[in-house]
PDB file of all heavy atoms in Angstrom:
ATOM      1  N   ARG P 115      13.667  11.238  -4.764  1.00  0.00           N
ATOM      2  CA  ARG P 115      13.684  11.847  -6.066  1.00  0.00           C
ATOM      3  C   ARG P 115      13.685  10.752  -7.122  1.00  0.00           C
ATOM      4  O   ARG P 115      12.962  10.972  -8.153  1.00  0.00           O
ATOM      5  CB  ARG P 115      14.973  12.707  -6.213  1.00  0.00           C
ATOM      6  CG  ARG P 115      14.929  13.927  -5.296  1.00  0.00           C
ATOM      7  CD  ARG P 115      16.076  14.983  -5.596  1.00  0.00           C
ATOM      8  NE  ARG P 115      16.123  15.990  -4.784  1.00  0.00           N
ATOM      9  CZ  ARG P 115      16.883  16.047  -3.665  1.00  0.00           C
ATOM     10  NH1 ARG P 115      17.618  15.064  -3.314  1.00  0.00           N
ATOM     11  NH2 ARG P 115      16.778  17.127  -2.829  1.00  0.00           N
ATOM     12  N   GLN P 116      14.466   9.809  -6.955  1.00  0.00           N
ATOM     13  CA  GLN P 116      14.552   8.746  -7.958  1.00  0.00           C
ATOM     14  C   GLN P 116      13.161   8.023  -8.084  1.00  0.00           C
ATOM     15  O   GLN P 116      12.719   7.758  -9.205  1.00  0.00           O
ATOM     16  CB  GLN P 116      15.611   7.680  -7.618  1.00  0.00           C
ATOM     17  CG  GLN P 116      15.868   6.530  -8.665  1.00  0.00           C
ATOM     18  CD  GLN P 116      16.958   5.551  -8.284  1.00  0.00           C
ATOM     19  OE1 GLN P 116      17.249   5.525  -7.037  1.00  0.00           O
ATOM     20  NE2 GLN P 116      17.522   5.027  -9.269  1.00  0.00           N
ATOM     21  N   ALA P 117      12.556   7.772  -6.991  1.00  0.00           N
ATOM     22  CA  ALA P 117      11.234   7.047  -6.996  1.00  0.00           C
ATOM     23  C   ALA P 117      10.129   7.995  -7.667  1.00  0.00           C
ATOM     24  O   ALA P 117       9.375   7.550  -8.428  1.00  0.00           O
ATOM     25  CB  ALA P 117      10.781   6.795  -5.614  1.00  0.00           C
ATOM     26  N   ASN P 118      10.266   9.319  -7.390  1.00  0.00           N
ATOM     27  CA  ASN P 118       9.254  10.265  -8.070  1.00  0.00           C
ATOM     28  C   ASN P 118       9.581  10.356  -9.512  1.00  0.00           C
ATOM     29  O   ASN P 118       8.629  10.397 -10.309  1.00  0.00           O
ATOM     30  CB  ASN P 118       9.380  11.638  -7.423  1.00  0.00           C
ATOM     31  CG  ASN P 118       8.236  12.468  -7.720  1.00  0.00           C
ATOM     32  OD1 ASN P 118       7.103  11.903  -7.755  1.00  0.00           O
ATOM     33  ND2 ASN P 118       8.336  13.737  -7.890  1.00  0.00           N
ATOM     34  N   ASP P 119      10.751  10.384 -10.013  1.00  0.00           N
ATOM     35  CA  ASP P 119      11.070  10.324 -11.408  1.00  0.00           C
ATOM     36  C   ASP P 119      10.583   9.042 -12.083  1.00  0.00           C
ATOM     37  O   ASP P 119      10.018   9.109 -13.132  1.00  0.00           O
ATOM     38  CB  ASP P 119      12.675  10.406 -11.597  1.00  0.00           C
ATOM     39  CG  ASP P 119      13.243  11.776 -11.284  1.00  0.00           C
ATOM     40  OD1 ASP P 119      12.474  12.757 -11.071  1.00  0.00           O
ATOM     41  OD2 ASP P 119      14.483  11.865 -11.120  1.00  0.00           O
ATOM     42  N   ALA P 120      10.706   7.954 -11.339  1.00  0.00           N
ATOM     43  CA  ALA P 120      10.199   6.719 -11.941  1.00  0.00           C
ATOM     44  C   ALA P 120       8.668   6.770 -11.988  1.00  0.00           C
ATOM     45  O   ALA P 120       8.010   6.180 -12.953  1.00  0.00           O
ATOM     46  CB  ALA P 120      10.654   5.501 -11.058  1.00  0.00           C
ATOM     47  N   PHE P 121       8.060   7.374 -11.021  1.00  0.00           N
ATOM     48  CA  PHE P 121       6.610   7.486 -10.965  1.00  0.00           C
ATOM     49  C   PHE P 121       6.146   8.360 -12.264  1.00  0.00           C
ATOM     50  O   PHE P 121       5.171   8.022 -12.835  1.00  0.00           O
ATOM     51  CB  PHE P 121       6.085   8.281  -9.637  1.00  0.00           C
ATOM     52  CG  PHE P 121       4.652   8.510  -9.609  1.00  0.00           C
ATOM     53  CD1 PHE P 121       3.784   7.534  -9.186  1.00  0.00           C
ATOM     54  CD2 PHE P 121       4.202   9.782  -9.869  1.00  0.00           C
ATOM     55  CE1 PHE P 121       2.382   7.830  -9.040  1.00  0.00           C
ATOM     56  CE2 PHE P 121       2.933  10.091  -9.768  1.00  0.00           C
ATOM     57  CZ  PHE P 121       1.995   9.057  -9.426  1.00  0.00           C
ATOM     58  N   ILE P 122       6.829   9.368 -12.410  1.00  0.00           N
ATOM     59  CA  ILE P 122       6.420  10.317 -13.606  1.00  0.00           C
ATOM     60  C   ILE P 122       6.628   9.627 -14.903  1.00  0.00           C
ATOM     61  O   ILE P 122       5.682   9.610 -15.671  1.00  0.00           O
ATOM     62  CB  ILE P 122       7.264  11.651 -13.478  1.00  0.00           C
ATOM     63  CG1 ILE P 122       6.945  12.443 -12.307  1.00  0.00           C
ATOM     64  CG2 ILE P 122       7.049  12.419 -14.765  1.00  0.00           C
ATOM     65  CD1 ILE P 122       7.806  13.554 -12.108  1.00  0.00           C
ATOM     66  N   ALA P 123       7.705   8.937 -15.023  1.00  0.00           N
ATOM     67  CA  ALA P 123       8.014   8.191 -16.275  1.00  0.00           C
ATOM     68  C   ALA P 123       6.971   7.067 -16.459  1.00  0.00           C
ATOM     69  O   ALA P 123       6.471   6.864 -17.546  1.00  0.00           O
ATOM     70  CB  ALA P 123       9.395   7.545 -16.171  1.00  0.00           C
ATOM     71  N   ALA P 124       6.526   6.344 -15.402  1.00  0.00           N
ATOM     72  CA  ALA P 124       5.588   5.234 -15.501  1.00  0.00           C
ATOM     73  C   ALA P 124       4.208   5.832 -15.921  1.00  0.00           C
ATOM     74  O   ALA P 124       3.491   5.274 -16.772  1.00  0.00           O
ATOM     75  CB  ALA P 124       5.511   4.551 -14.181  1.00  0.00           C
ATOM     76  N   HIS P 125       3.797   7.073 -15.328  1.00  0.00           N
ATOM     77  CA  HIS P 125       2.553   7.621 -15.735  1.00  0.00           C
ATOM     78  C   HIS P 125       2.549   8.039 -17.152  1.00  0.00           C
ATOM     79  O   HIS P 125       1.579   7.835 -17.837  1.00  0.00           O
ATOM     80  CB  HIS P 125       2.337   8.790 -14.738  1.00  0.00           C
ATOM     81  CG  HIS P 125       1.038   9.571 -15.128  1.00  0.00           C
ATOM     82  ND1 HIS P 125      -0.154   9.093 -15.193  1.00  0.00           N
ATOM     83  CD2 HIS P 125       0.971  10.919 -15.425  1.00  0.00           C
ATOM     84  CE1 HIS P 125      -1.056   9.937 -15.602  1.00  0.00           C
ATOM     85  NE2 HIS P 125      -0.374  11.110 -15.711  1.00  0.00           N
ATOM     86  N   GLU P 126       3.643   8.656 -17.611  1.00  0.00           N
ATOM     87  CA  GLU P 126       3.728   9.069 -18.923  1.00  0.00           C
ATOM     88  C   GLU P 126       3.653   7.901 -19.993  1.00  0.00           C
ATOM     89  O   GLU P 126       3.163   8.023 -21.006  1.00  0.00           O
ATOM     90  CB  GLU P 126       4.925   9.859 -19.209  1.00  0.00           C
ATOM     91  CG  GLU P 126       5.009  11.202 -18.527  1.00  0.00           C
ATOM     92  CD  GLU P 126       6.256  12.063 -18.664  1.00  0.00           C
ATOM     93  OE1 GLU P 126       7.278  11.376 -19.072  1.00  0.00           O
ATOM     94  OE2 GLU P 126       6.247  13.234 -18.335  1.00  0.00           O
ATOM     95  N   ALA P 127       4.209   6.803 -19.489  1.00  0.00           N
ATOM     96  CA  ALA P 127       4.203   5.478 -20.263  1.00  0.00           C
ATOM     97  C   ALA P 127       2.803   4.804 -20.143  1.00  0.00           C
ATOM     98  O   ALA P 127       2.698   3.735 -20.860  1.00  0.00           O
ATOM     99  CB  ALA P 127       5.261   4.650 -19.893  1.00  0.00           C
ATOM    100  N   GLY P 128       1.989   5.214 -19.270  1.00  0.00           N
ATOM    101  CA  GLY P 128       0.744   4.537 -19.084  1.00  0.00           C
ATOM    102  C   GLY P 128       0.847   3.177 -18.371  1.00  0.00           C
ATOM    103  O   GLY P 128      -0.029   2.337 -18.494  1.00  0.00           O
ATOM    104  N   ALA P 133       3.778   2.720 -11.935  1.00  0.00           N
ATOM    105  CA  ALA P 133       3.504   3.882 -11.166  1.00  0.00           C
ATOM    106  C   ALA P 133       3.179   3.520  -9.657  1.00  0.00           C
ATOM    107  O   ALA P 133       3.722   4.275  -8.735  1.00  0.00           O
ATOM    108  CB  ALA P 133       2.313   4.561 -11.726  1.00  0.00           C
ATOM    109  N   ALA P 136       6.419   2.623  -7.953  1.00  0.00           N
ATOM    110  CA  ALA P 136       7.302   3.697  -7.680  1.00  0.00           C
ATOM    111  C   ALA P 136       6.742   4.540  -6.486  1.00  0.00           C
ATOM    112  O   ALA P 136       7.528   5.090  -5.698  1.00  0.00           O
ATOM    113  CB  ALA P 136       7.406   4.589  -8.962  1.00  0.00           C
ATOM    114  N   ALA P 177      -2.487  11.914 -11.414  1.00  0.00           N
ATOM    115  CA  ALA P 177      -1.104  11.496 -11.129  1.00  0.00           C
ATOM    116  C   ALA P 177      -0.109  12.711 -11.234  1.00  0.00           C
ATOM    117  O   ALA P 177       0.862  12.671 -10.517  1.00  0.00           O
ATOM    118  CB  ALA P 177      -0.761  10.327 -12.162  1.00  0.00           C
ATOM    119  N   ALA P 178      -0.423  13.598 -12.068  1.00  0.00           N
ATOM    120  CA  ALA P 178       0.459  14.808 -12.159  1.00  0.00           C
ATOM    121  C   ALA P 178       0.477  15.554 -10.851  1.00  0.00           C
ATOM    122  O   ALA P 178       1.526  16.050 -10.458  1.00  0.00           O
ATOM    123  CB  ALA P 178       0.031  15.667 -13.288  1.00  0.00           C
ATOM    124  N   ALA P 181       2.729  13.738  -8.405  1.00  0.00           N
ATOM    125  CA  ALA P 181       4.114  13.921  -8.655  1.00  0.00           C
ATOM    126  C   ALA P 181       4.548  15.301  -8.092  1.00  0.00           C
ATOM    127  O   ALA P 181       5.637  15.464  -7.531  1.00  0.00           O
ATOM    128  CB  ALA P 181       4.467  13.866 -10.133  1.00  0.00           C
ATOM    129  N   SER P 182       3.653  16.340  -8.371  1.00  0.00           N
ATOM    130  CA  SER P 182       3.971  17.639  -7.770  1.00  0.00           C
ATOM    131  C   SER P 182       4.044  17.658  -6.305  1.00  0.00           C
ATOM    132  O   SER P 182       5.036  18.266  -5.765  1.00  0.00           O
ATOM    133  CB  SER P 182       2.931  18.564  -8.261  1.00  0.00           C
ATOM    134  OG  SER P 182       3.161  19.930  -7.748  1.00  0.00           O
ATOM    135  N   HIS P 184       4.715  15.110  -4.376  1.00  0.00           N
ATOM    136  CA  HIS P 184       5.876  14.321  -4.009  1.00  0.00           C
ATOM    137  C   HIS P 184       7.120  15.251  -3.961  1.00  0.00           C
ATOM    138  O   HIS P 184       7.996  15.253  -3.062  1.00  0.00           O
ATOM    139  CB  HIS P 184       6.207  13.214  -5.047  1.00  0.00           C
ATOM    140  CG  HIS P 184       5.216  12.056  -4.991  1.00  0.00           C
ATOM    141  ND1 HIS P 184       5.233  11.083  -5.886  1.00  0.00           N
ATOM    142  CD2 HIS P 184       4.390  11.731  -3.969  1.00  0.00           C
ATOM    143  CE1 HIS P 184       4.372  10.148  -5.593  1.00  0.00           C
ATOM    144  NE2 HIS P 184       3.776  10.485  -4.335  1.00  0.00           N
TER     145      HIS P 184
END
Side-chain angles (χ1 to χ4, degrees):
R115 291 189 184 93
Q116 185 177 24
N118 197 34
D119 288 344
F121 175 83
I122 294 169
H125 174 57
E126 291 176 348
S182 176
H184 288 169

